[in-house]
Amino acid sequence: MTTAPESIVGRGNRDGAALFRQWFEKITQTAEKEQNAAYVFVMGSISEILRTFDFTMVFPEINSLQTAIRRVSDEYLDEAEDQGYSPDICGYVKADVAVQLRGGEHPMGRIPKPTIGVLTNACNTYIKWAEIWERMYQTPIFTIDVPGSREAGSLNPQNESNYKNDLRYVEIQLQELISKCEEITGIKFDPDRLREVLGYSNDMSRGWKKVLELNSNRPSLFNALTDGTVYLGVANCFRGTEIGSKFFSDLVEEMEYKAAQGIGTLTDEKYRLGFVGVPCYPIFRHFNEFFTDWGGTFVNSTYLWFASGGTNHGFEYDLTNPIESLAEGILLNVRGAMDSMFYHENALIDMIDNQFVDGMVFHPIKSCRTVSTGLADSRRSLMTKRDIPSLFIESDMMDKRVVSEAQLKNRIDAFFEGLAVRKQRESITA
Amino acid sequence: MTIKIFDAWQGLPLDGILEQCQILVEDTDYNAVKRWREDGGKIVGHFQVYFPEEIVHAAGMLPFKVRGASVDATHSDSRFGSYLCSILKTSLELAMSDRLELEMFVSHPICDAARNLAAIWGRNFDYPCQILYLPQNANSSHSINYLKDEYDRLKKEIETIAGKKITDDDLRASLAVFNENRKLLRELYAIKRDSPWKITATEAYILMAIGGMIPREEHNELLSHTIPLIKSRDVKSQDKMRIVIEGGFCEQPPLDFLRTVDRYCYVVDDDLLIGLRWILEDISLDGDPMFNLAEAYLEKSSYSPVQHDLRKPKEKMLVDRIKKSKAEAAIVTAAKMCEPGLEDQVTYTIALEEENIPFFIGEFEENMTSFDHTEIQLETFVENLLFD
Ligand code: SF4
Ligand code: SF4
């Protein structure tokens, strides 16, 4: 059966939004029924294993950012700061502390308490954050330590002994996590169930990679900052599920259809932009409009890479060898996510060249030193390698107190004026 | 290396020695380190907190502890955005302003900011700039073996730079030097704990900090000579409160901050430069030295906000530190913008309240110059406790 074209266009956004509501309903039910909830993080959620133990996956980062999108984050931040948390630490942590203090009360539903916390070292603050649950509830905490690239360009030397050492370390930790989950849930680990979950994850990673690549199309098919964030939500919350698998095959179909029909985003695309950093959630739509009002569309972003846990690389698990292959996938994906934050220079050059980017927007934020610490320098360095206009603006993804709309708009307007002059010059000399 | 890079203290009485040590610690041109280089020596700069210096030492190179400095970030400021701790900027500044020439720079995944530093450094310098991935799952059955492999990887890099193979015996010899150094530092801290009137926190800090700047053999000689002089110092005990300082594991408070504290309290223990004292016992020289070094990091070590180990809940470790040193109160401070330090302030204060241990909360920056506010707060804190 072929899908009617009019229902294909925009389907990813419609389905994504519906799935997101469904997901919050599920976690609310988990809270009400006091079922097992695993608190996990987007950069290496280890959903593949946790799903086989029937944990409901809870992403505190997503819960926190939703308070900002729903414009109530300041209430949550204040509450945590009243408990002694500094104004200078990650806002996601503080919003979650407040959610816990409110007994799980959240604008999208009710958040269950953690039965287990599973994290990677992709962000050190994950570890500090989990220590809070450890102390609040005596929650068992499991860190999957994934050694990252030791220096620029050292990714994927699969034949080297160091790579094998790292892989062995990750694999043993996964086995230890499995034992821990068996102990907590009383469920025996089922490798066939894992294979099934890995298969769905493969579909999603393959689809995600394809969707990102398809955005090379002119005009671009989706806005990486807005639409991309919806897709990202599904990529994380539904990882390893049949629903997630179907969503991504539908999304590929939608993007291919739009490409074939020449259908772009709602913006009349004049400038193709790349985005480096984390979105400005307190003024999410508005922030994007500062760009789209000038005809600027975001064709890709490092956020879609690292916040999908590196699944943008499209790594597919070998189902005949599930645990070892899962270890390898986690090593490469999480390492890839870290590289997207710390060592992204070559990837940005590829983005510029392959997705025809006219300008690069760097958006470091106060809350997140993981993503933001190196951005001023990586921008400087990129500018020495590619003659491309760039914009460097700072704000926050949670804290309205450091988001100055007027100042942002001024800087963005000046950036586009520069882009316009440059385009004009290029068209004269062409 | 045949020359001594720091011998200005030799032949001096204790006060003269301490004065020379202070000059060295405050020398932001690192003239002593330059002497090492002028004599053909190579240097590996390693960022806070802990680094297995023995590996660099065994290759005949100087491990230099990169811990920020009291300098303006004139060159490096443009490499960073806002909302960051100062130590990142001043550390890079040392290299960018040519005060510190290195053959290699190593950072660690201690925090979100520091793990970015190797990448930033690497974009600005041609020599190897790496992350040493110390394990962040301290509780896996494989962590020690993983770390041994990671140290072996580092060893190969160091060998390439040194142009020399590091044998197991080289490594054992270095372990012995560092065992001796840690033993001497434990003695220094025992004086602080048992007779704090004999040495101020500032003096002890200076004596310790030098270890990260000069060859450890020289540091051992300095400490071995000085510790007996401190013990026999003729100073009377005063009625000062015994306190522990917590929060100096990475960025360092300025000496004037310590001097301010010295005026009101006896600092009987602290976590200042904890990396130099991370290993708590001698590392065995028997068997595989690299395995022993890795094992010690995980099994014979102190605690800090940048290591998560289920066996070492930090607040319990702090309470323990306070009780063992018979402190009456704690200063729980953190470097400005330091995510792990600021987060653990909450953890610590909850535990201290439960234990009924008075504490004083603060923040510092390595380049702060005004201490009036700290002084007033500290004075009030101490007076309140004395009259409570
Ligand atoms: S510091 Fe950044 S990556 Fe880490 S939890 Fe906060 S927002 Fe996420
Ligand atoms: S002072 Fe804190 S934030 Fe800065 S590098 Fe050190 S641990 Fe990281």
Side-chain angles (χ1 to χ4, degrees):
Chain A
M1 195 183 83
T2 48
T3 318
E6 62 277 12
S7 62
I8 290 187
V9 176
R11 183 176 58 192
N13 278 347
R14 285 194 304 276
D15 289 355
L19 285 174
F20 207 55
R21 281 193 296 276
Q22 191 182 314
W23 180 68
F24 265 103
E25 277 160 24
K26 163 100 172 131
I27 60 176
T28 302
Q29 276 170 18
T30 304
E32 280 159 2
K33 294 186 185 154
E34 297 186 5
Q35 290 163 332
N36 284 343
Y39 275 29
V40 296
F41 294 89
V42 297
M43 293 191 284
S45 66
I46 328 289
S47 299
E48 286 83 351
I49 285 182
L50 296 168
R51 283 204 191 282
T52 70
F53 288 99
D54 294 334
F55 283 105
T56 298
M57 237 54 73
V58 175
F59 289 83
E61 291 155 296
I62 298 177
N63 301 343
S64 291
L65 76 85
Q66 281 299 322
T67 66
I69 289 190
R70 273 146 227 291
R71 295 176 175 266
V72 289
S73 54
D74 45 340
E75 297 167 22
Y76 286 78
L77 296 182
D78 285 348
E79 220 165 300
E81 286 173 18
D82 287 347
Q83 297 294 311
Y85 287 94
S86 162
D88 297 325
I89 64 163
C90 170
Y92 280 179
V93 175
K94 284 185 287 187
D96 175 62
V97 165
V99 166
Q100 304 303 335
L101 293 173
R102 292 179 179 199
E105 185 204 313
H106 184 277
M108 296 281 287
R110 175 119 176 266
I111 311 297
K113 284 184 188 161
T115 315
I116 186 172
V118 179
L119 49 137
T120 68
N121 58 317
C123 166
N124 286 68
T125 300
Y126 286 174
I127 303 173
K128 303 308 295 174
W129 194 342
E131 285 176 354
I132 297 174
W133 310 321
E134 208 173 30
R135 281 156 181 84
M136 266 187 183
Y137 307 118
Q138 287 74 52
T139 306
I141 295 301
F142 203 103
T143 310
I144 302 282
D145 184 15
V146 181
S149 297
R150 296 344 193 246
E151 62 188 328
S154 68
L155 182 66
N156 302 349
Q158 265 114 326
N159 50 351
E160 284 184 12
S161 65
N162 306 129
Y163 179 81
K164 295 202 179 97
N165 294 337
D166 294 351
L167 187 56
R168 174 121 192 84
Y169 181 37
V170 174
E171 191 185 329
I172 290 173
Q173 293 178 85
L174 290 182
Q175 278 158 350
E176 289 169 344
L177 174 64
I178 288 172
S179 304
K180 186 91 206 161
C181 291
E182 286 184 328
E183 185 192 311
I184 291 174
T185 62
I187 297 173
K188 188 146 177 38
F189 172 64
D190 177 355
D192 288 332
R193 182 84 204 280
L194 178 64
R195 266 189 208 99
E196 186 191 14
V197 173
L198 294 182
Y200 292 136
S201 289
N202 282 350
D203 300 340
M204 295 175 76
S205 298
R206 198 167 46 240
W208 186 221
K209 181 170 187 265
K210 181 88 183 147
V211 165
L212 293 170
E213 284 167 358
L214 280 167
N215 223 24
S216 299
N217 196 76
R218 273 181 194 272
S220 53
L221 309 170
F222 67 94
N223 184 322
L225 199 63
T226 50
D227 309 319
T229 303
V230 176
Y231 312 153
L232 190 59
V234 180
N236 283 314
C237 302
F238 291 87
R239 182 152 182 84
T241 64
E242 193 177 357
I243 295 172
S245 157
K246 177 164 186 329
F247 176 86
F248 275 94
S249 56
D250 285 354
L251 192 60
V252 171
E253 186 189 38
E254 176 185 343
M255 293 305 148
E256 284 175 338
Y257 175 81
K258 287 174 79 173
Q261 303 297 318
I263 303 171
T265 63
L266 295 177
T267 310
D268 179 15
E269 181 173 296
K270 290 203 188 84
Y271 306 103
R272 297 169 66 86
L273 306 173
F275 185 83
V276 189
V278 179
C280 182
Y281 285 119
I283 53 163
F284 187 54
R285 294 276 154 200
H286 214 164
F287 181 84
N288 182 55
E289 282 160 12
F290 289 156
F291 296 90
T292 53
D293 285 351
W294 282 88
T297 52
F298 289 100
V299 297
N300 208 335
S301 84
T302 59
Y303 189 58
L304 297 187
W305 306 343
F306 60 76
S308 66
T311 57
N312 57 305
H313 293 292
F315 180 89
E316 293 189 41
Y317 304 113
D318 170 6
L319 304 192
T320 61
N321 203 2
I323 301 273
E324 271 174 50
S325 182
L326 177 60
E328 176 143 46
I330 287 171
L331 177 59
L332 290 176
N333 284 345
V334 175
R335 188 176 276 188
M338 293 193 268
D339 281 353
S340 304
M341 300 183 288
F342 313 137
Y343 296 113
H344 51 218
E345 207 168 295
N346 288 338
L348 293 185
I349 289 174
D350 285 348
M351 190 205 285
I352 293 167
D353 294 347
N354 301 332
Q355 301 203 291
F356 318 109
V357 168
D358 300 309
M360 198 61 88
V361 178
F362 290 80
H363 181 238
I365 50 172
K366 177 180 179 183
S367 272
C368 181
R369 290 166 183 101
T370 313
V371 174
S372 308
T373 303
L375 293 195
D377 189 63
S378 86
R379 176 196 187 210
R380 175 201 61 79
S381 175
L382 184 70
M383 296 304 103
T384 64
K385 305 215 163 86
R386 280 290 181 281
D387 176 26
I388 185 169
S390 69
L391 174 67
F392 189 83
I393 39 176
E394 295 183 288
S395 77
D396 199 53
M397 84 304 195
M398 289 293 286
D399 191 346
K400 272 199 276 195
R401 291 169 296 192
V402 283
V403 180
S404 161
E405 286 200 49
Q407 214 173 44
L408 285 172
K409 186 167 182 339
N410 279 343
R411 302 279 319 282
I412 294 165
D413 287 350
F415 170 63
F416 277 105
E417 281 158 15
L419 273 176
V421 171
R422 189 181 167 107
K423 271 240 151 137
Q424 212 172 23
R425 230 182 10 232
E426 279 167 3
S427 66
I428 294 167
T429 51
Chain B
M1 187 66 48
T2 47
I3 60 148
K4 284 223 162 104
I5 69 169
F6 177 53
D7 58 6
W9 59 275
Q10 281 177 333
L12 298 177
L14 181 58
D15 286 350
I17 295 174
L18 291 170
E19 195 186 328
Q20 288 305 320
C21 291
Q22 183 183 323
I23 292 171
L24 177 68
V25 167
E26 291 191 315
D27 174 17
T28 51
D29 285 327
Y30 298 98
N31 287 306
V33 181
K34 286 196 175 97
R35 280 196 283 283
W36 172 270
R37 180 167 283 288
E38 279 155 18
D39 201 46
K42 295 181 177 175
I43 306 171
V44 173
H46 56 92
F47 192 67
Q48 294 272 49
V49 172
Y50 171 79
F51 178 76
E53 294 169 278
E54 286 89 335
I55 304 174
V56 172
H57 182 270
M61 296 197 287
L62 179 69
F64 178 87
K65 187 175 243 320
V66 178
R67 55 175 173 84
S70 232
V71 294
D72 289 332
T74 319
H75 304 78
S76 65
D77 203 41
S78 64
R79 277 19 183 205
F80 297 96
S82 316
Y83 314 120
L84 295 171
C85 58
S86 175
I87 183 175
L88 295 181
K89 301 178 194 175
T90 57
S91 293
L92 184 66
E93 179 67 22
L94 296 182
M96 292 187 74
S97 60
D98 295 333
R99 288 175 169 102
L100 191 61
E101 278 185 68
L102 302 175
E103 266 69 35
M104 181 183 195
F105 173 75
V106 185
S107 178
H108 319 280
I110 54 164
C111 71
D112 307 328
R115 63 199 307 192
N116 271 285
L117 190 60
I120 297 171
W121 209 293
R123 285 191 290 264
N124 286 278
F125 292 93
D126 290 335
Y127 51 75
C129 299
Q130 295 200 345
I131 300 179
L132 174 72
Y133 264 91
L134 295 169
Q136 285 171 289
N137 179 353
N139 306 109
S140 165
S141 61
H142 194 65
S143 301
I144 299 174
N145 284 317
Y146 158 75
L147 183 58
K148 180 201 164 330
D149 291 337
E150 177 66 352
Y151 282 175
D152 278 331
R153 181 193 69 75
L154 178 73
K155 182 178 118 182
K156 282 188 209 138
E157 305 277 351
I158 305 264
E159 285 174 337
T160 310
I161 295 167
K164 165 185 187 309
K165 282 262 166 235
I166 301 171
T167 65
D168 279 359
D169 281 340
D170 291 336
L171 203 48
R172 277 190 199 101
S174 298
L175 289 177
V177 171
F178 281 76
N179 279 344
E180 171 70 9
N181 189 250
R182 287 183 286 257
K183 188 181 103 232
L184 289 164
L185 289 176
R186 286 197 295 274
E187 271 186 51
L188 187 66
Y189 267 70
I191 304 175
K192 283 173 63 145
R193 190 184 57 233
D194 300 336
S195 42
W197 52 92
K198 295 203 169 172
I199 184 159
T200 65
T202 316
E203 289 166 340
Y205 177 80
I206 287 168
L207 276 173
M208 174 172 60
I210 283 176
M213 309 167 76
I214 63 173
R216 277 307 202 289
E217 291 86 342
E218 286 195 40
H219 194 222
N220 286 348
E221 194 189 342
L222 169 73
L223 291 177
S224 307
H225 177 82
T226 313
I227 286 172
L229 299 180
I230 298 167
K231 282 184 180 163
S232 58
R233 216 177 190 182
D234 186 18
V235 204
K236 292 231 159 19
S237 160
Q238 292 177 12
D239 187 20
K240 282 188 184 174
M241 183 184 294
R242 296 170 63 93
I243 59 125
V244 158
I245 296 182
E246 192 80 9
F249 59 97
C250 185
E251 184 167 319
Q252 297 300 292
L255 290 183
D256 279 337
F257 176 90
L258 295 179
R259 287 189 187 106
T260 307
V261 177
D262 277 331
R263 275 202 283 284
Y264 297 93
C265 319
Y266 285 137
V267 179
V268 288
D269 204 351
D270 57 59
D271 68 346
L272 298 163
L273 291 175
I274 192 70
L276 293 173
R277 299 176 284 128
W278 182 254
I279 312 280
L280 298 172
E281 301 164 31
D282 280 356
I283 301 178
S284 168
L285 306 183
D286 299 331
D288 179 347
M290 200 60 103
F291 181 88
N292 296 346
L293 186 60
E295 185 193 34
Y297 172 78
L298 289 158
E299 303 296 318
K300 298 177 176 172
S301 50
S302 186
Y303 69 97
S304 92
V306 297
Q307 191 200 44
H308 178 76
D309 186 334
L310 298 170
R311 299 163 302 178
K312 295 192 282 191
K314 285 169 273 268
E315 63 278 39
K316 293 209 173 60
M317 300 298 284
L318 171 60
V319 169
D320 212 33
R321 175 175 275 163
I322 292 170
K323 288 189 173 160
K324 277 194 183 140
S325 60
K326 298 194 180 67
E328 298 152 89
I331 295 182
V332 182
T333 188
K336 281 197 191 316
M337 300 288 167
C338 171
E339 179 98 29
L342 290 166
E343 269 150 1
D344 274 355
Q345 272 190 330
V346 182
T347 312
Y348 288 146
T349 53
I350 291 172
L352 294 177
E353 266 166 12
E354 276 169 12
E355 292 281 333
N356 258 324
I357 298 171
F359 59 86
F360 169 80
I361 285 272
E363 278 185 37
F364 68 86
E365 198 172 26
E366 58 181 0
N367 273 331
M368 68 197 278
T369 48
S370 166
F371 301 90
D372 296 349
H373 188 58
T374 312
E375 179 145 14
I376 292 169
Q377 281 181 309
L378 193 59
E379 194 179 0
T380 317
F381 172 70
V382 171
E383 274 176 8
N384 282 346
L385 286 181
L386 287 177
F387 299 114
D388 226 14

